[in-house]
């Protein structure tokens, strides 16, 4: 019906339940840490705007994909929206 939104199920979780978290990973080394985590076999990555290192994590992920360590569809990346960003106008900033 008009105005009805279709639900897309989330992608399946990787078989390996291990999650690599980026809380408190220093921005100066975060790109390399992300790359090495993927190289070591991690496919579930825990991120958040509040961690302050999402750009660096993204660079490490991009490098791992470029080097053929994985594809984007191999990765399950979690991010969280901090409570102060729940207003619709703030969501894109987070």
């Amino acid at each position: 019906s008009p105005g009805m939104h279709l639900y897309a199920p989330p992608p399946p979780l990787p078989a390996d339940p291990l999650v690599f978290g980026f809380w408190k990973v220093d921005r100066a080394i975060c790109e390399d840490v992300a790359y090495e985590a993927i190289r070591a076999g991690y496919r579930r990555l825990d991120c958040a705007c509040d961690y302050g290192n999402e750009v660096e994590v993204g660079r490490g992920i991009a490098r791992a994909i470029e080097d053929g360590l994985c594809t984007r569809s191999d990765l399950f990346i979690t991010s969280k929206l901090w409570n102060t960003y729940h207003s619709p106008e703030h969501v894109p900033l987070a």
Side-chain angles (χ1 to χ4, degrees), residues 13-22 25 30-47 57 60-62 64-65 68-78:
L13 292 175
D16 189 342
L18 292 178
V19 178
F20 192 94
F22 289 93
V25 176
C30 196
E31 178 180 337
D32 289 334
V33 170
Y35 181 89
E36 291 300 324
I38 293 168
R39 191 170 73 79
Y42 284 92
R43 295 298 180 261
R44 297 175 74 171
L45 308 175
D46 174 64
C47 307
V57 172
I61 291 169
I65 292 170
L69 299 180
C70 64
T71 65
R72 174 58 184 90
S73 62
D74 292 334
L75 302 175
F76 189 87
I77 303 167
T78 302

Side-chain angles (χ1 to χ4, degrees), residues 1-9:
S1 76
M4 188 171 156
H5 297 284
L6 298 177
Y7 170 75

